[in-house]
Amino acid sequence: MTMSRIVLLGAPGAGKGTQACLLVEGLGVPHISTGDMLRAAVAAQTPVGLRAKAVMESGALVGDDIVIAIARERLRESDCQEGFILDGFPRTDAQAEALDALLSDLGTPLECCLAITADTEEVLGRLLKRAEIEGRADDTEEVIRERMRVYEEQIAPLLDHYRGQGLVVEVNGMGTVEEVAARIEEALG
Ligand code: AMP
């Protein structure tokens, strides 16, 4: 049987967003992005949104208490019983532990931590080219390298957490969208 309770990790420029959309379509399970939920809360000016707004604008992480609460509420909804693709959550150890506890309570443990890997130099080249075409001044080499460094720093403990549970599946994110999608399909069985 195909795995359908998945945490998706992906380096900047590895095509995580695109692959998340394809996976959701293929598996027929909801795409749960805490970033999207937080942006919606900010737009709706809910109490969570009001607390999260400034933090998000600074690029820092929103507090674990807030993020865990919104993820918990969402995962308890009935459409998650058949599975889910978690995108952007967990990002910290505390979040990973809270997720384990919640899914264990619900009797639906995680089946896979899918990590889409990327070759740093190739991604850098791609992103710089895109920035040039789109005339984006913010995508300088320095900024892109910093985003990658932050990602590596955040992701290492999460990978350790899920490696300890034997859940990590790494898929090479280099190549065309179709090639990567085919690798993911194969990896998920
Ligand atoms: P994303 O769209 O996943 O890149 O998230 C956008 C922003 O939302 C991040 O820069 C954080 O400020 C916040 N955010 C999203 N998910 C989380 C999370 N799991 N933990 C903390 N902050 C988060």
Side-chain angles (χ1 to χ4, degrees), residues 140-152:
T140 61
E141 177 165 345
E142 201 185 344
V143 171
I144 295 167
R145 280 200 192 274
E146 174 62 9
R147 287 216 310 263
M148 289 178 173
R149 191 193 61 75
V150 168
Y151 172 80
E152 296 294 340

Side-chain angles (χ1 to χ4, degrees), residues 1-185:
M1 213 184 75
T2 306
M3 292 189 270
S4 58
R5 293 192 294 272
I6 299 168
V7 162
L8 188 61
L9 303 178
K16 178 165 68 82
T18 309
Q19 296 300 334
C21 291
L22 292 175
L23 263 175
V24 159
E25 244 175 60
L27 297 173
V29 296
H31 177 205
I32 302 182
S33 152
T34 42
D36 284 352
M37 288 193 280
L38 286 167
R39 277 184 287 277
V42 169
Q45 301 190 343
T46 65
V48 162
L50 294 176
R51 279 176 69 190
K53 187 171 188 284
V55 180
M56 288 175 74
E57 280 169 359
S58 78
L61 289 184
V62 173
D64 283 335
D65 54 337
I66 293 186
V67 183
I68 289 169
I70 61 170
R72 186 178 282 147
E73 202 175 309
R74 181 67 187 87
L75 284 163
R76 283 184 184 281
E77 286 177 31
S78 58
D79 64 337
C80 294
Q81 274 169 12
E82 299 302 317
F84 45 78
I85 306 294
L86 273 172
D87 180 0
F89 179 89
R91 267 183 163 90
T92 65
D93 251 344
Q95 292 178 18
E97 272 159 30
L99 178 64
D100 286 347
L102 171 67
L103 294 179
S104 155
D105 269 2
L106 294 172
T108 53
L110 207 62
E111 292 172 304
C112 173
C113 170
L114 180 65
I116 306 180
T117 62
D119 177 273
T120 306
E121 292 309 311
E122 193 173 328
V123 166
L124 186 67
R126 258 200 222 170
L127 293 179
L128 284 174
K129 203 156 139 197
R130 190 177 76 188
E132 200 181 296
I133 293 168
E134 293 175 0
R136 286 175 55 162
D138 58 334
D139 264 357
T140 61
E141 177 165 345
E142 201 185 344
V143 171
I144 295 167
R145 280 200 192 274
E146 174 62 9
R147 287 216 310 263
M148 289 178 173
R149 191 193 61 75
V150 168
Y151 172 80
E152 296 294 340
E153 202 175 271
Q154 272 178 21
I155 235 58
L158 288 179
L159 280 174
D160 283 350
H161 180 94
Y162 291 121
R163 276 208 185 96
Q165 301 178 0
L167 292 180
V168 175
V169 171
E170 280 185 304
V171 168
N172 175 5
M174 298 290 93
T176 65
V177 168
E178 293 75 21
E179 281 165 356
V180 179
R183 281 179 210 138
I184 291 177
E185 204 181 317

